[in-house]
Amino acid sequence: MIALLALTVAALAPCVAHGAPTTIPASSPKILWIGRSQTVGSSVFFDWEGVSATVNLQSFSWLAVNISDNCPGSSVGGGSRWLVTMTTSNALTSSPNHRIATFYSGPLSSLYYLFNNPGAHCDPACDFSGTTTFTLTRITESRLSGCIPGANLSVNAFLTDGVFVDPPSMPTRRLEFVGDSITAGDLNDDGQTGRCGNAAFNNDITLSTGGQLCLPTALGGFGAACMYTAWGGIQLGLGTSWGMSKLYPFTFSADGPNAYTPWAFDQFPVDGVVVNLGTNDHPPAPALQWQVEYAAYVTDLVTKYYNNPRLAIFLAYGPMTNYYQPFVTNITATLVQKGINAHTLDLTLPHGMTGCYGHPSAADNVEIAAKAKPQIAAVLGW
């Protein structure tokens, strides 16, 4: 019997009730992958949150995925949590932002239905006569899952009773978001669960500010493909101390400098990078060293990693505190003097955060994204 998990607790039909499956490996060109990942054989391995796989289907009644999740979790309540979104040919759905299901992956290799009820999720009825697009996104960060080399996460295959057709094209607009728990969407899902906790159930990258900015244009976003490089509680990493400046170059996040291989940044060239570091460095001591090393990290990001001197860099401050605003302003000025296309990004709101433990909630992030969007658009011409 196939192991099944879905948003609801309603019983799902056993696998024998469905048609004979068509299977494609995770490495198939019929799948559009976005985010840092590494293909090994026919499987795709990753552990950064926000990594997504998109498929287009025709003539189907169900869709499933094979996931190998050997990550042990962590002391702060770990696990890999996933989001499924669906867009039909008439783009109708009764679910906000086309979200139709969330689920947790269990240990070892298992199959999970992403969709098996054509009559659900749509009001009025969806049109399944054309092409339907499904996206599977890992919405929790590695700090909560404990993935390490040898105990890792992979997607192995997608299965359906229909036909996999060519996936959507990679969006021409692309962004990367770098930062700590604010960027990672930690503790923002309290409105969904009604409870707080530093755990996977309270972490959803798609409800973060970046997630809102990257929604399709019809839903108010930029319609951009976005990569997320975030770790809750992380600092810049002064000197030899571990931090984002040390973790950033790698394909996998969970084991720092030993995490497999360096990421090939030419696999996902971006138009701009939003960096929000400083909340966990309070107070940045010594302040001058912090500014110098922050500027050095961003310089490496532009010239060494992306190798694009005109790459737009947005150095953000807020929304939990703005104490580091003057430091970010100084760093931006230093970078501009070096010829780097750097800009400050104000993410503050006129009220306190309403998420868990002082973090922005999903509703706060909608407000923050609305404030950030014109600032970014003005620079990128979007």
Side-chain angles (χ1 to χ4, degrees):
M1 180 65 66
I2 292 177
L4 301 172
L5 292 177
L7 179 64
T8 65
V9 295
L12 299 180
C15 57
V16 294
H18 300 303
T22 297
T23 302
I24 58 172
S27 59
S28 169
K30 298 292 187 183
I31 304 170
L32 172 64
W33 285 96
I34 295 176
R36 301 191 191 199
S37 64
Q38 180 173 311
T39 300
V40 180
S42 61
S43 297
V44 176
F45 289 77
F46 54 92
D47 69 351
W48 287 103
E49 66 180 330
V51 173
S52 67
T54 298
V55 296
N56 277 343
L57 288 183
Q58 294 178 352
S59 305
F60 69 98
S61 66
W62 60 269
L63 173 66
V65 65
N66 180 279
I67 297 172
S68 294
D69 187 352
N70 300 308
C71 303
S74 70
S75 60
V76 294
S80 292
R81 185 168 169 240
W82 306 81
L83 169 70
V84 185
T85 61
M86 177 185 74
T87 304
T88 59
S89 56
N90 62 350
L92 293 177
T93 174
S94 60
S95 305
N97 297 341
H98 297 203
R99 300 164 65 99
I100 65 168
T102 59
F103 67 94
Y104 293 88
S105 53
L108 305 179
S109 181
S110 299
L111 283 174
Y112 302 88
Y113 279 123
L114 306 184
F115 178 84
N116 73 338
N117 187 355
H121 312 300
C122 296
D123 184 18
C126 294
D127 179 6
F128 290 104
S129 63
T131 299
T132 299
T133 301
F134 289 92
T135 298
L136 174 67
T137 305
R138 183 173 185 256
I139 58 176
T140 50
E141 61 156 311
S142 288
R143 179 180 62 90
L144 301 174
S145 60
C147 300
I148 58 174
N152 45 36
L153 177 73
S154 68
V155 170
N156 306 311
F158 284 84
L159 304 86
T160 185
D161 62 344
V163 178
F164 291 101
V165 296
D166 290 339
S169 299
M170 175 72 75
T172 56
R173 294 176 173 182
R174 303 179 193 179
L175 293 169
E176 182 184 16
F177 293 86
V178 180
D180 51 31
S181 60
I182 297 169
T183 303
D186 287 351
L187 303 164
N188 66 2
D189 201 19
D190 57 300
Q192 303 283 324
T193 63
R195 59 196 175 109
C196 285
N198 192 10
F201 75 84
N202 224 3
N203 177 205
D204 187 338
I205 189 64
T206 65
L207 298 178
S208 67
T209 296
Q212 296 299 311
L213 287 168
C214 298
L215 286 171
T217 54
L219 298 176
F222 282 128
C226 294
M227 184 166 69
Y228 304 90
T229 310
W231 184 284
I234 204 165
Q235 298 179 343
L236 173 63
L238 293 183
T240 59
S241 299
W242 182 85
M244 182 55 73
S245 61
K246 315 300 188 302
L247 182 62
Y248 181 76
F250 296 98
T251 303
F252 292 77
S253 68
D255 201 32
N258 298 314
Y260 300 85
T261 57
W263 170 244
F265 285 83
D266 59 359
Q267 291 188 38
F268 191 77
V270 297
D271 301 289
V273 180
V274 177
V275 184
N276 191 1
L277 295 168
T279 300
N280 296 301
D281 290 281
H282 180 59
L288 179 59
Q289 181 187 359
W290 190 81
Q291 293 176 74
V292 168
E293 295 197 21
Y294 198 153
Y297 160 62
V298 173
T299 300
D300 282 346
L301 187 156
V302 171
T303 62
K304 178 180 177 181
Y305 301 134
Y306 278 106
N307 191 25
N308 178 7
R310 295 309 302 161
L311 177 65
I313 300 294
F314 300 91
L315 299 186
Y317 57 89
M320 293 177 66
T321 177
N322 64 353
Y323 83 87
Y324 57 105
Q325 176 183 354
F327 304 119
V328 168
T329 301
N330 291 340
I331 295 165
T332 302
T334 298
L335 293 170
V336 169
Q337 289 175 357
K338 296 171 63 175
I340 291 175
N341 186 16
H343 308 265
T344 57
L345 183 64
D346 181 0
L347 301 183
T348 61
L349 292 181
H351 60 77
M353 298 298 98
T354 60
C356 293
Y357 313 127
H359 285 70
S361 65
D364 293 331
N365 282 323
V366 171
E367 286 188 70
I368 298 165
K371 183 172 184 176
K373 188 179 179 183
Q375 299 177 71
I376 296 172
V379 174
L380 298 180
W382 292 356

